[in-house]
Short mmCIF file of all heavy atoms in Angstrom, two decimals:
data_model
loop_
_atom_site.label_atom_id
_atom_site.label_comp_id
_atom_site.label_asym_id
_atom_site.label_seq_id
_atom_site.Cartn_x
_atom_site.Cartn_y
_atom_site.Cartn_z
N ALA K 175 -25.24 13.51 -6.60
CA ALA K 175 -25.19 12.10 -6.99
C ALA K 175 -23.87 11.45 -6.51
O ALA K 175 -23.73 10.22 -6.56
CB ALA K 175 -25.29 12.00 -8.48
N GLY K 176 -22.90 12.24 -6.04
CA GLY K 176 -21.66 11.68 -5.53
C GLY K 176 -20.41 11.90 -6.34
O GLY K 176 -19.40 11.33 -6.08
N ALA K 177 -20.42 12.71 -7.37
CA ALA K 177 -19.24 13.01 -8.20
C ALA K 177 -18.30 13.67 -7.20
O ALA K 177 -18.72 14.51 -6.40
CB ALA K 177 -19.54 13.98 -9.29
N PHE K 178 -16.98 13.25 -7.30
CA PHE K 178 -16.11 13.83 -6.27
C PHE K 178 -15.41 15.14 -6.84
O PHE K 178 -14.79 15.90 -6.07
CB PHE K 178 -14.93 12.79 -5.94
CG PHE K 178 -13.87 12.67 -6.97
CD1 PHE K 178 -12.74 13.41 -6.96
CD2 PHE K 178 -14.04 11.81 -7.98
CE1 PHE K 178 -11.73 13.37 -7.88
CE2 PHE K 178 -13.04 11.63 -9.05
CZ PHE K 178 -11.90 12.43 -9.04
N ALA K 179 -15.62 15.37 -8.04
CA ALA K 179 -15.08 16.67 -8.72
C ALA K 179 -15.79 16.82 -9.99
O ALA K 179 -16.44 15.92 -10.52
CB ALA K 179 -13.54 16.59 -8.90
N ILE K 180 -15.72 18.14 -10.45
CA ILE K 180 -16.40 18.45 -11.74
C ILE K 180 -15.47 19.34 -12.58
O ILE K 180 -15.10 20.36 -12.15
CB ILE K 180 -17.80 19.07 -11.59
CG1 ILE K 180 -18.73 18.26 -10.65
CG2 ILE K 180 -18.44 19.39 -12.92
CD1 ILE K 180 -20.02 18.90 -10.40
N VAL K 181 -15.15 18.75 -13.89
CA VAL K 181 -14.38 19.62 -14.83
C VAL K 181 -15.44 20.64 -15.41
O VAL K 181 -16.47 20.22 -15.77
CB VAL K 181 -13.78 18.75 -15.91
CG1 VAL K 181 -13.26 19.59 -17.04
CG2 VAL K 181 -12.64 17.95 -15.27
N LEU K 182 -15.04 21.92 -15.51
CA LEU K 182 -15.83 23.01 -16.15
C LEU K 182 -14.99 23.41 -17.33
O LEU K 182 -13.89 24.06 -17.16
CB LEU K 182 -16.11 24.00 -15.20
CG LEU K 182 -16.89 23.84 -13.95
CD1 LEU K 182 -17.11 25.06 -13.10
CD2 LEU K 182 -18.31 23.28 -14.28
N GLU K 183 -15.42 23.07 -18.52
CA GLU K 183 -14.66 23.43 -19.78
C GLU K 183 -15.30 24.56 -20.45
O GLU K 183 -16.46 24.52 -20.83
CB GLU K 183 -14.51 22.18 -20.64
CG GLU K 183 -13.66 22.43 -21.86
CD GLU K 183 -13.05 21.29 -22.55
OE1 GLU K 183 -13.31 20.18 -22.06
OE2 GLU K 183 -12.24 21.43 -23.45
N LEU K 184 -14.54 25.58 -20.75
CA LEU K 184 -14.96 26.81 -21.57
C LEU K 184 -16.32 27.33 -20.98
O LEU K 184 -17.25 27.62 -21.71
CB LEU K 184 -15.04 26.40 -22.96
CG LEU K 184 -13.87 26.29 -23.84
CD1 LEU K 184 -14.18 26.23 -25.25
CD2 LEU K 184 -12.90 27.53 -23.59
N VAL K 185 -16.35 27.47 -19.65
CA VAL K 185 -17.57 28.00 -19.01
C VAL K 185 -17.14 29.49 -18.67
O VAL K 185 -16.03 29.80 -18.31
CB VAL K 185 -17.91 27.33 -17.77
CG1 VAL K 185 -18.98 28.08 -16.97
CG2 VAL K 185 -18.37 25.92 -18.03
N THR K 186 -18.03 30.52 -18.84
CA THR K 186 -17.70 31.87 -18.60
C THR K 186 -17.21 32.04 -17.14
O THR K 186 -17.71 31.36 -16.23
CB THR K 186 -18.92 32.84 -18.82
OG1 THR K 186 -19.89 32.43 -17.87
CG2 THR K 186 -19.49 32.79 -20.23
N ALA K 187 -16.19 32.89 -16.92
CA ALA K 187 -15.56 32.95 -15.59
C ALA K 187 -16.62 33.23 -14.51
O ALA K 187 -16.55 32.59 -13.43
CB ALA K 187 -14.50 33.99 -15.65
N PRO K 188 -17.56 34.17 -14.64
CA PRO K 188 -18.51 34.40 -13.60
C PRO K 188 -19.38 33.17 -13.25
O PRO K 188 -19.65 32.92 -12.07
CB PRO K 188 -19.44 35.56 -14.04
CG PRO K 188 -18.68 36.16 -15.17
CD PRO K 188 -17.84 35.10 -15.76
N VAL K 189 -19.81 32.43 -14.25
CA VAL K 189 -20.60 31.35 -13.98
C VAL K 189 -19.79 30.17 -13.36
O VAL K 189 -20.27 29.51 -12.37
CB VAL K 189 -21.28 30.78 -15.32
CG1 VAL K 189 -22.02 29.40 -15.02
CG2 VAL K 189 -22.30 31.86 -15.80
N ALA K 190 -18.57 29.97 -13.81
CA ALA K 190 -17.63 28.99 -13.14
C ALA K 190 -17.41 29.35 -11.70
O ALA K 190 -17.48 28.49 -10.84
CB ALA K 190 -16.35 28.91 -13.94
N LYS K 191 -17.24 30.63 -11.45
CA LYS K 191 -17.08 31.03 -10.04
C LYS K 191 -18.36 30.70 -9.18
O LYS K 191 -18.21 30.23 -8.09
CB LYS K 191 -16.79 32.55 -9.92
CG LYS K 191 -16.57 33.15 -8.62
CD LYS K 191 -16.25 34.60 -8.64
CE LYS K 191 -15.96 35.16 -7.31
NZ LYS K 191 -15.61 36.56 -7.28
N GLU K 192 -19.50 31.08 -9.74
CA GLU K 192 -20.74 30.81 -9.10
C GLU K 192 -20.95 29.34 -8.73
O GLU K 192 -21.28 28.94 -7.61
CB GLU K 192 -21.95 31.47 -9.80
CG GLU K 192 -23.23 31.29 -9.09
CD GLU K 192 -24.43 31.77 -9.91
OE1 GLU K 192 -24.23 32.51 -10.89
OE2 GLU K 192 -25.59 31.37 -9.58
N ILE K 193 -20.64 28.55 -9.77
CA ILE K 193 -20.79 27.07 -9.60
C ILE K 193 -19.90 26.61 -8.41
O ILE K 193 -20.18 25.93 -7.50
CB ILE K 193 -20.51 26.30 -10.81
CG1 ILE K 193 -21.61 26.55 -11.87
CG2 ILE K 193 -20.39 24.77 -10.56
CD1 ILE K 193 -21.30 25.99 -13.31
N SER K 194 -18.68 27.10 -8.52
CA SER K 194 -17.57 26.68 -7.51
C SER K 194 -17.98 27.02 -6.04
O SER K 194 -17.73 26.37 -5.15
CB SER K 194 -16.24 27.37 -7.85
OG SER K 194 -15.89 26.99 -9.19
N GLN K 195 -18.73 28.20 -5.97
CA GLN K 195 -19.10 28.67 -4.70
C GLN K 195 -20.45 27.94 -4.09
O GLN K 195 -20.69 28.13 -3.00
CB GLN K 195 -19.35 30.17 -4.74
CG GLN K 195 -18.10 30.94 -4.87
CD GLN K 195 -18.37 32.46 -5.07
OE1 GLN K 195 -19.45 32.85 -5.46
NE2 GLN K 195 -17.33 33.30 -4.69
N ASN K 196 -21.03 27.21 -5.06
CA ASN K 196 -22.34 26.69 -4.69
C ASN K 196 -22.38 25.13 -4.63
O ASN K 196 -23.46 24.58 -4.45
CB ASN K 196 -23.47 27.25 -5.59
CG ASN K 196 -23.88 28.60 -5.27
OD1 ASN K 196 -24.64 28.79 -4.28
ND2 ASN K 196 -23.32 29.57 -5.88
N ILE K 197 -21.31 24.52 -4.88
CA ILE K 197 -21.18 23.08 -4.68
C ILE K 197 -20.11 22.74 -3.68
O ILE K 197 -19.09 23.40 -3.56
CB ILE K 197 -21.12 22.27 -6.03
CG1 ILE K 197 -19.75 22.57 -6.75
CG2 ILE K 197 -22.33 22.51 -6.95
CD1 ILE K 197 -19.53 21.74 -7.99
N SER K 198 -20.18 21.53 -3.09
CA SER K 198 -19.23 21.18 -2.00
C SER K 198 -18.04 20.49 -2.64
O SER K 198 -16.97 20.36 -1.97
CB SER K 198 -19.90 20.30 -1.01
OG SER K 198 -20.39 19.09 -1.68
N VAL K 199 -18.10 20.02 -3.89
CA VAL K 199 -16.97 19.30 -4.48
C VAL K 199 -16.17 20.20 -5.36
O VAL K 199 -16.79 21.20 -5.87
CB VAL K 199 -17.50 18.02 -5.29
CG1 VAL K 199 -18.26 17.12 -4.40
CG2 VAL K 199 -18.31 18.37 -6.47
N PRO K 200 -14.97 19.87 -5.52
CA PRO K 200 -14.03 20.80 -6.23
C PRO K 200 -14.48 20.92 -7.79
O PRO K 200 -14.89 19.90 -8.37
CB PRO K 200 -12.65 20.21 -6.26
CG PRO K 200 -12.78 19.19 -5.22
CD PRO K 200 -14.21 18.74 -4.95
N THR K 201 -14.32 22.14 -8.30
CA THR K 201 -14.44 22.34 -9.76
C THR K 201 -13.05 22.49 -10.29
O THR K 201 -12.15 23.06 -9.65
CB THR K 201 -15.25 23.63 -10.08
OG1 THR K 201 -14.55 24.72 -9.46
CG2 THR K 201 -16.71 23.55 -9.60
N ILE K 202 -12.84 21.81 -11.46
CA ILE K 202 -11.50 21.84 -12.10
C ILE K 202 -11.71 22.60 -13.38
O ILE K 202 -12.29 21.97 -14.33
CB ILE K 202 -10.92 20.48 -12.32
CG1 ILE K 202 -11.07 19.56 -11.09
CG2 ILE K 202 -9.44 20.59 -12.78
CD1 ILE K 202 -10.14 19.81 -9.92
N GLY K 203 -11.24 23.76 -13.54
CA GLY K 203 -11.54 24.56 -14.76
C GLY K 203 -10.54 24.32 -15.85
O GLY K 203 -9.37 24.07 -15.64
#
Side-chain angles (χ1 to χ4, degrees):
F178 77 93
I180 302 176
V181 167
L182 298 179
E183 181 156 6
L184 287 187
V185 172
T186 60
V189 172
K191 181 176 182 180
E192 186 182 339
I193 293 172
S194 305
Q195 289 173 339
N196 281 280
I197 60 172
S198 59
V199 301
T201 57
I202 315 286

